[in-house]
Amino acid sequence: MEMLYEKLIEATDFIQSVISGKPEIAIILGSGLGTLSDQLETPVVIPYKDIPHFPLSTVAGHAGRLLFGSLHGTPVMMMEGRPHYYEGYSMRQIAFPVFLMKFLGVKKLVITNACGGINNDFSPGTLMIIDDFINLVSDNPLIGINDERLGPRFPDMSEPYSLEIISLAEKVADNLGIEYSRGVYAGFQGPYYETAAEIRSIGRMGADAVGMSTVSETIAANYAGIECFAIACITNMATGIQKVKHSHQRVLEIARLSSVTLSRWISSLIKALESSR
Ligand code: HPA
């Protein structure tokens, strides 16, 4: 890995010169899903552009900053916005923030995203716990010479999302009266929304939802020894299932509406994770 380790040390040193303490849990806030950051206590904000080697997010609805602070006493960090493959970043660049989390001491990662529903039981606004993924991009962040300081050459991927956290999240949702589904997320390259034929074939492969993020972050986290949990917000039904054309504005609108419930859920989950330790 060309100087990746050294770049990560540089970024880590910079962040540690700004914050105090170590984040235990990281949360990636997807498009329009940023309201959780309002609950952050004693926030320290670091724009991505200030962090050495950090990839910038160029998409509308993505703020592009790291937030550090605490939620119910647990030190956390949040990513407001994320880099995507379709923006031209390499998979390694997309994984950079996840590797950085490891260097900062993060043990658990909560990923959120906005995506399209394939499962006919879903509708816009459905919150889906991701319990497995399908990587539709013929690339991933681990391709190339391996640096054992980051993770093993052949990482196991039989439980990409922690069954323990999933079970806790289900209990938390039940207690809060939050409805949710569970399913498989397929990561599509984008940036165009899939064709109807692609959606039919992705559905037959076993995916319940499809989106343009999350998979590479999940792979990087598992490789780096960070436990993962992910919730997908179904903002629209996928091409051919919904009869209207896609609109990014509409995606953001539904995500913002769902964000309130999603934030309540994740906030309580973090409290529950702390007390289950
Ligand atoms: N497909 C891919 N990505 C998405 C979608 C979709 O239908 N909706 C939101 N992100």
Side-chain angles (χ1 to χ4, degrees):
M1 270 184 206
E2 346 56 63
M3 303 296 288
L4 178 58
Y5 189 87
E6 288 70 21
K7 287 178 181 171
L8 284 162
I9 294 284
E10 224 182 296
T12 306
D13 286 348
F14 169 75
I15 288 170
Q16 285 175 340
S17 74
V18 180
I19 64 163
S20 54
K22 276 185 177 188
E24 278 172 32
I25 299 178
I27 305 148
I28 301 178
L29 301 167
S31 308
L33 298 168
T35 47
L36 185 64
S37 58
D38 299 343
Q39 296 183 29
L40 200 62
E41 296 140 34
T42 60
V44 174
V45 179
I46 308 181
Y48 293 167
K49 64 177 172 43
D50 293 352
I51 306 169
H53 314 294
F54 204 95
L56 305 179
S57 165
T58 61
V59 189
H62 289 262
R65 46 191 209 162
L66 279 188
L67 307 175
F68 293 84
S70 63
L71 272 180
H72 311 290
T74 301
V76 300
M77 64 183 277
M78 295 183 192
M79 272 179 79
E80 273 190 335
R82 53 153 65 92
H84 300 83
Y85 194 63
Y86 62 72
E87 291 173 88
Y89 291 111
S90 71
M91 285 285 179
R92 286 256 164 105
Q93 284 174 302
I94 294 166
F96 188 88
V98 178
F99 294 147
L100 182 59
M101 290 168 191
K102 177 192 171 95
F103 278 50
L104 290 168
V106 166
K107 302 281 183 271
K108 294 182 173 71
L109 169 61
V110 176
I111 303 175
T112 64
N113 66 52
C115 68
I118 299 178
N119 185 323
N120 276 315
D121 294 340
F122 296 173
S123 55
T126 297
L127 296 174
M128 182 189 94
I129 293 178
I130 304 179
D131 59 16
D132 209 343
F133 70 72
I134 298 171
N135 186 10
L136 295 171
V137 184
S138 310
D139 197 0
N140 72 68
L142 314 184
I143 304 276
I145 294 167
N146 190 51
D147 186 335
E148 291 282 329
R149 292 171 294 186
L150 298 181
R153 175 74 287 188
F154 299 111
D156 184 83
M157 212 55 67
S158 57
E159 190 186 322
Y161 302 100
S162 159
L163 293 176
E164 205 177 314
I165 305 182
I166 289 178
S167 149
L168 191 61
E170 288 180 327
K171 279 191 201 118
V172 167
D174 292 342
N175 286 340
L176 294 173
I178 292 173
E179 281 185 41
Y180 62 90
S181 294
R182 233 174 114 151
V184 173
Y185 175 93
F188 184 73
Q189 178 168 327
Y192 70 91
Y193 289 103
E194 303 74 21
T195 67
E198 282 171 333
I199 290 302
R200 282 195 299 276
S201 75
I202 297 168
R204 285 189 196 116
M205 286 168 87
D208 298 287
V210 63
M212 304 175 196
S213 66
T214 302
V215 169
S216 37
E217 296 152 358
T218 303
I219 294 170
N222 277 272
Y223 163 75
I226 299 174
E227 256 187 298
C228 253
F229 171 72
I231 303 178
C233 172
I234 310 294
T235 50
N236 56 277
M237 292 311 285
T239 313
I241 302 172
Q242 77 173 21
K243 295 303 164 211
V244 294
K245 293 201 172 179
H246 294 297
S247 126
H248 185 55
Q249 275 322 310
R250 183 79 186 134
V251 164
L252 289 180
E253 225 174 276
I254 300 292
R256 287 199 180 109
L257 288 173
S258 309
S259 188
V260 180
T261 306
L262 187 68
S263 301
R264 216 158 51 92
W265 188 3
I266 295 175
S267 169
S268 298
L269 173 64
I270 283 164
K271 200 173 179 178
L273 280 169
E274 185 62 26
S275 39
S276 74
R277 287 198 326 150

